[in-house]
Amino acid sequence: MTHFELTFPVRYYETDQMGVVHHSNYIRYFENARNEMMVDWGFPITTCEKEYGVMIPIVGVECHFRHPARMGDVVTAVAGMDKVPMAKMVIRQSVVNQNGELCAEGTVTLGFIDAKSFRPVRCPEVLARIIEQHLNDR
């Protein structure tokens, strides 16, 4: 299992009139953690697109809201994987506040498509090896 964390404050514009994080922002928090995880691995999404010609679109999102994050909170967005992808990459995601309370959790499923033809392809071998290494290291 891989595990990556990204911590940041809740920003004013992410909240509603009650000072509660708007539900749509949790998906953005998920994306930030997921993208930074790949940067941390030395394989940002832009590298996958430019050097390998493979785009990684989202094909599904599941999110369950547990406890509201609020203005002034410092939250941690978490991303992790349990297995090396072949055709789809499933990432477990969560957001917790500074008190350790689970604010949201879910999964994001991504596919792999050829950047020119937009047809499905397998996970690039180099990315699969990177993920396997991180699965084995943890």
Side-chain angles (χ1 to χ4, degrees), residues 90-129:
V90 178
I91 307 202
R92 287 175 295 90
Q93 307 248 209
S94 62
V95 175
V96 296
N97 67 15
Q98 69 277 358
N99 300 321
E101 296 167 310
L102 179 63
C103 298
E105 64 182 335
T107 58
V108 176
T109 304
L110 300 112
F112 301 97
I113 60 171
D114 181 274
K116 291 181 183 172
S117 69
F118 291 93
R119 298 184 70 84
V121 296
R122 290 185 154 244
C123 175
E125 184 61 35
V126 64
L127 178 56
R129 284 194 309 270

Side-chain angles (χ1 to χ4, degrees), residues 24-56:
S24 65
N25 287 305
Y26 291 100
I27 304 306
R28 290 182 178 96
Y29 295 168
F30 286 2
E31 181 174 14
N32 289 338
R34 194 170 60 249
N35 288 341
E36 288 301 316
M37 176 177 67
M38 291 186 69
V39 168
D40 185 65
W41 291 349
F43 194 82
I45 290 174
T46 53
T47 297
C48 192
E49 292 174 355
K50 290 178 183 174
E51 294 183 26
Y52 297 91
V54 175
M55 299 171 80
I56 309 175

